[in-house]
Amino acid sequence: MSSAIMETYKRLPVAFESGDGAWLTDTQGNHYLDALAGIAVCSLGHAHPAVAAAVSDQATRLIHTSNLYEMPLQEQLAQTLCRLSGFDRVFFNNSGAEANETAIKVCRKYGHDRGVEKPVIVTMDGGFHGRTLATLTATGNGKQQEAFAPLPEGFIHVPYNDVAALEALAADTSIVAVMLEAIQGEGGVIIPAKGYLKQVAALCDRHGWLLVVDEVQTGLCRTGRWFAFQHEDIQPDIMTLAKSLGNGVPIGACLVMKETAATLTPGTHGSTFGGNPLAARAALTVIETMESQKLDQQAAQLGASMLDGLHSQLAGLGGVRDIRGKGLMLGIELEEECRELVEAALQQRLLINVTRDNVVRLLPPLIISDEDAGRIVTMLTDLIRDFVSGARS
Ligand code: PLP
């Protein structure tokens, strides 16, 4: 029977039926170790008991009302996110792309409110911000953009991790904001030089540009801090979140500082589902669990030990270009394209991802045990050794 689903994904030949922590079970009863967590979504693992209980309890009370009414759970979630991140106000959506759309609208209106007729947002080569038209345009990947022209105006791209390239734009009075990821995820786990974000923040301050940090993938303990910008001791003007905020229940958020909080006024933006009671309750439970289990520290420690393990087991192996990571966001860059490693790993019942053609990306659940983290390192390094020797013979 042919599929009734649009073919926008090349799906792997496996369907999962249930999960437990870092493990998934397929429809044949086989168990898989999950080193991807639904692409950084299920940070608390699968079927987390507290999330499951909160979602089922909330479903029996109230799933949805409307943003036309007050929502105590949404308010509580916003207060909690602001306490953890230093931001002042939050707008809730349902995905990362939508959270970034909100950020883009805030920046543009902020520009208009200050007399900038055609506000421009600077984004980064190799960045990724989503698949809607504006976020696709913000995304620095020409290959994906051509088919969807004409794209919205108002974006320019500069190389990532290059302060001088930004500095060179200083005279352009149409620029209102710089938007970037703290670590580029889809772009290949690219970690900028220490001090880069701090320098970008200083530059933004100097020129009156807003700094928007997309933490859709890096946020919420993933990199060993609550938010990756906190490694650099800065306070951006805007931050976006999604992915792990609901541990799989769709929710996104755009957080802003006071100066930009009044930019969007009633009627200028909205979302039917954004921050509804079900999603807000799930997200509150996720954050409570992350706080009580100190998952920021857990990600930092486990990530460091996985990185050590990868370095020592792959030391000196030809074909491996780089091994890098921060917390539980890890990348192994090979010299050759290595997409076939995903299927090879699947056959060994390990779930991994390859991004930018030659970077193996690991984003395991933050609750993973030491033993399972070690198992991922051993399984993966065996696979990489086989792949590299095959590619070379
Ligand atoms: N921003 C970043 C940094 C991402 O990694 C992603 C998704 O991978 C997005 C935005 C888009 O999020 P979503 O797929 O929820 O729209």
Side-chain angles (χ1 to χ4, degrees), residues 39 94-100 127-132 135 139 181 183-186 214-218 240 242-243 251 361:
I39 321 186
N94 315 290
S95 68
E98 278 178 273
N100 286 330
F128 185 85
H129 300 291
R131 305 281 193 164
T132 61
T135 56
T139 288
E181 292 155 273
I183 294 173
Q184 289 187 333
E186 303 305 301
D214 176 343
E215 295 244 16
V216 166
Q217 192 162 142
T218 52
T240 54
K243 286 201 182 275
I251 179 166
R361 180 172 48 161

Side-chain angles (χ1 to χ4, degrees), residues 172-256:
D172 186 340
T173 52
S174 60
I175 294 173
V176 293
V178 174
M179 178 171 179
L180 45 65
E181 292 155 273
I183 294 173
Q184 289 187 333
E186 303 305 301
V189 191
I190 308 293
I191 306 171
K194 197 167 167 17
Y196 169 69
L197 275 187
K198 203 163 191 155
Q199 284 176 281
V200 174
L203 203 62
C204 286
D205 259 3
R206 206 154 56 239
H207 300 298
W209 301 336
L210 298 174
L211 175 58
V212 183
V213 179
D214 176 343
E215 295 244 16
V216 166
Q217 192 162 142
T218 52
L220 298 161
C221 303
R222 171 61 52 191
T223 70
R225 290 282 170 95
W226 269 90
F227 305 99
F229 75 78
Q230 292 168 335
H231 288 285
E232 293 260 336
D233 192 25
I234 59 163
Q235 181 67 51
D237 299 288
I238 301 178
M239 171 174 74
T240 54
L241 297 175
K243 286 201 182 275
S244 66
L245 185 52
N247 209 56
V249 175
I251 179 166
C254 176
L255 292 84
V256 300

Side-chain angles (χ1 to χ4, degrees), residues 328-344:
L328 284 171
M329 184 169 185
L330 300 152
I332 302 120
E333 182 171 338
L334 303 189
E335 272 157 21
E336 310 275 335
E337 284 190 13
C338 60
R339 294 206 167 270
E340 67 198 68
L341 266 175
V342 174
E343 285 212 37

